[in-house]
Amino acid sequence: MYRHLERRLAQHIRDFLRRMYSLEVDRVVIEQPPNVQFGEYALPLAFELAKKLRKAPRKIAEEIVSGIGVIEGFEKFEVAGAGYINARVNRAALALAVAKGEEPGTEVPSGKILVEHSSINPNKAAHIGHLRNAILGDTFVRLLQYAGRKVDVQNYIDNTGVQVADVVVGFQHIDRKSLSDVEQLTKRPRFDYYCWDLYARASQWYEQDPENKKIRLKTLHELERGGNETAALAETISTAVLRRHLETMDRLDIEYDFLPRESEILHLHFWDAAFQKLKDAGVLYFENEGRNKGCWVMRRAGTGKPLTAEQAEEKNESAEKNVSEADKSVSEEDQKVIVRSNGTVGYVGKDIAYHMWKYGLLGKDFGYRKFFLYPNQHQCWISAEQGESEHPHFGDVSEIYNVIDARQSEAQNTVIEALRGLGYNPQADHYTHFSYEMVALTPRCAAELGYELSEDERARSYIEVSGRRGFGVKADDLIDKLIASAQKEVDSRHAELNGSEREKIARQIAVGALRYFMLKYTKQSVIAFDFKDALSFEGETGPYAQYAVVRASNIFRKGGMDADAFAKELGSKISADELAKFLAGKDNDELWDLWLAASKTAYIVDQCIATTEPAYLAKHVFQLAQLFNTFYHRHPILAEGDEQKKKFLLATAGVVRRELIRALAVMGIESPPAM
RNA sequence: GGGCGCGUAGCUCAAACGGAUAGAGCAUCAGAUUUCUAAUCUGAGGGUUGCAGGUUCGAUUCCUGCCGCGCCUACCA
């Protein structure tokens, strides 16, 4: 409801400015006052207008306040400080609307959105860095779905790259395993852990003898070509590891719709189709000299002179030859090799083709096979050269979000520039690199894990994980630890519950702790991972919020009432006048703050989507839980003597409980029945 | 060298297009439970927002320079 009122206010202000001053503003800035005593919305509008209107801000603010008139849902407007306009809403009306629990809808664009996340090399166990990616991606999917968007979730599988090749080399040349040996190994639990170690061993093995590196290159070529024994072994390994990744992510309630694989991008000749278009459009050109002689190259993103909007327009209007001349002058440094001199295509090229497919611009499609059926019957599909005849339709989307770490931003931008160069500007504009920073280990954590550190590394605040060194925290290990720790607590607190109930709760708490931990940091901050913080269930954590829900639930259980029904039917239980009385005035600001926070779910979700920043939701959930815990402490609800007051307090608990459950669900966190 | 990003309390992090007194958690210290379970709550201490300029009514936020740190800068993916 908070969002709904904000939009209504913005619209009225726009109309008013047009009427009163003949001013058109595209965006009315509406802030949240630092304290609820100032009201629910704050407009710094008068400061902005001061220059345009050549009047003192305070004077303008007074004019607006006296002229704005009646706006439904708002009680009054006040001028504060040097010219702030503070808006006060009708508290009872807002509370009643919130209690009903139905957010007035907004227009939802019809197009489908594709979110790509996880994309873990299928050659070793997933680690905490992959967890951050998957949790960010999955949460963003849930945010979009909450906002009413249709979303396809894809997990790109690089099954023909060097990382898979390294493990293949490990099996063939270090451990000397046959295909059937490996097939047996894949049936053992956590085959991906075996590969984790083997990958690290293979990386060392390359250092021992330059000849070994030649084997690696040969293996890589065999994988890319396909149709040979090495490729068959790679297929067995990467498919088994991929299944493990899906299982790991499913422990966190993360699911995918489709798994496009690089092998199909190669074998279905996606690149050939893209290559032709890129050459025709002049995006790619052949280099005749220097370091990149014999390669097809394009300008690396971010190396051109930055163009302003006007310059870009001029450029479009000016003669074509200027453009190509400018492109030809790209220095070697600024060139990105797309096709190597031996004719093979690099990963950026494949990525360009893949993204043309996403937008339905390639004129080719994958084959589709059923791959993984989740316990909830959701079917996950995988790409295939020859697919099944009946399959859902993927691709042809109108917006793309790629959850890929910040280190790849240049490559991502190069793909966007290629689309632009092909003339697909709207598609390029709706291509979002959802960039986030890595998860690193604190030196203390690395030491705990028994890794030897150089003096240099010990002095740093964090150390990057490294698959090649086998250096990192495996996802399943962390999840196991969290579950064990939660299980211990649940067992000691709830002897009355049976084993499977306790197990389920422990899992919910573990998932809540982990997902919250990965979401509470803003994307651009490197997470310096530490077991102490990650395993905490106290303070700013998922379990803290889950516990608030349990406390609310307990009130209703003890009172023999249905929490949701109680909240929803507030209007028939208490008159509007009485409700107003309970919420009015300074004495009740603290209660009102709680209601106001509970009204913000849709507003926060919008903010998260607009900024591709799920951390705002995590902060909001924590604040709401914190306000509730204070409320819980101050008001022994069931002991309340005044019947009307008691109903009001119950409704408060019911509404907050419902909104907490909702918001947690958007973060992929379940609310346990007991803790 | 070039590109991107970061620097805020002892530690880990917030601060939505520039806005009202820079906020949380952890840690430390002092308190709270015959009550709807303390995985909780109340309070205290802790800050020249890396440094120096600039723009502005107003800067943690924008601009310039400097210092420190990270990532990218492969005919790897």
Side-chain angles (χ1 to χ4, degrees), chain A residues 39 54 63 102 111 182-183 241 250 332 382 450 458 620 634:
Chain A
R54 300 173 160 278
E63 279 178 13
E102 290 151 18
V182 175
E183 271 166 1
V241 174
D250 190 39
E332 271 183 14
I382 196 165
R458 267 196 293 271
H620 174 251
R634 295 258 161 96

Side-chain angles (χ1 to χ4, degrees), chain A residues 358-551:
Chain A
K358 283 184 178 178
Y359 275 127
L361 302 169
L362 195 64
K364 278 178 176 285
D365 197 3
F366 291 102
Y368 299 91
R369 256 188 319 112
K370 290 195 180 82
F371 182 70
F372 193 91
L373 187 65
Y374 290 100
N376 65 7
Q377 302 305 303
H378 173 210
Q379 181 68 55
C380 174
W381 294 75
I382 196 165
S383 63
E385 281 184 60
Q386 274 133 21
E388 300 173 20
S389 52
E390 295 282 312
H391 62 80
H393 184 62
F394 299 105
D396 288 344
V397 297
S398 56
E399 293 173 50
I400 287 174
Y401 290 91
N402 289 339
V403 183
I404 301 176
D405 79 69
R407 285 172 291 199
Q408 295 199 44
S409 65
E410 190 184 281
Q412 283 292 297
N413 289 333
T414 302
V415 176
I416 293 174
E417 285 315 305
L419 287 174
R420 227 177 264 292
L422 289 165
Y424 299 126
N425 281 306
Q427 286 84 350
D429 291 341
H430 290 103
Y431 183 128
T432 304
H433 172 205
F434 186 113
S435 168
Y436 67 95
E437 271 295 347
M438 63 186 170
V439 181
L441 306 182
T442 59
R444 190 178 71 176
C445 179
E448 267 174 52
L449 289 164
Y451 297 117
E452 279 183 34
L453 301 179
S454 66
E455 220 166 289
D456 210 30
E457 287 173 322
R458 267 196 293 271
R460 290 191 210 161
S461 59
Y462 56 80
I463 306 154
E464 198 174 345
V465 302
S466 164
R468 295 208 172 278
R469 287 168 69 187
F471 179 80
V473 177
K474 295 187 206 64
D476 280 314
D477 283 348
L478 178 59
I479 298 169
D480 290 347
K481 273 194 187 212
L482 281 158
I483 289 177
S485 167
Q487 187 75 57
K488 214 173 125 193
E489 289 291 325
V490 175
D491 287 348
S492 73
R493 286 162 198 248
H494 293 286
E496 83 285 1
L497 297 176
N498 71 40
S500 73
E501 284 170 329
R502 292 203 304 263
E503 251 172 56
K504 187 174 180 202
I505 292 170
R507 190 194 79 93
Q508 289 173 324
I509 292 169
V511 172
L514 179 53
R515 293 191 64 129
Y516 193 95
F517 178 80
M518 289 296 178
L519 292 169
K520 75 174 177 180
Y521 302 93
T522 52
K523 294 180 303 174
Q524 77 280 0
S525 137
V526 175
I527 296 181
F529 182 88
D530 192 65
F531 280 109
K532 183 176 148 291
D533 296 335
L535 291 171
S536 170
F537 296 155
E538 289 167 18
E540 195 187 343
T541 66
Y544 176 94
Q546 289 172 315
Y547 187 63
V549 174
V550 168
R551 288 178 132 184

Side-chain angles (χ1 to χ4, degrees), chain A residues 162-210:
Chain A
V162 273
Q163 294 211 22
V164 170
D166 288 344
V167 176
V168 170
V169 167
F171 277 119
Q172 286 183 325
H173 298 92
I174 302 175
D175 284 3
R176 311 239 170 225
K177 302 277 189 205
S178 69
L179 179 58
S180 69
D181 291 340
V182 175
E183 271 166 1
Q184 286 306 310
L185 281 172
T186 62
K187 288 175 189 147
R188 297 223 301 235
R190 300 205 170 164
F191 171 67
D192 54 337
Y193 278 36
Y194 186 105
C195 294
W196 173 283
D197 294 327
L198 184 55
Y199 178 51
R201 272 153 53 210
S203 300
Q204 283 178 347
W205 186 72
Y206 294 135
E207 304 306 317
Q208 290 167 12
D209 185 347

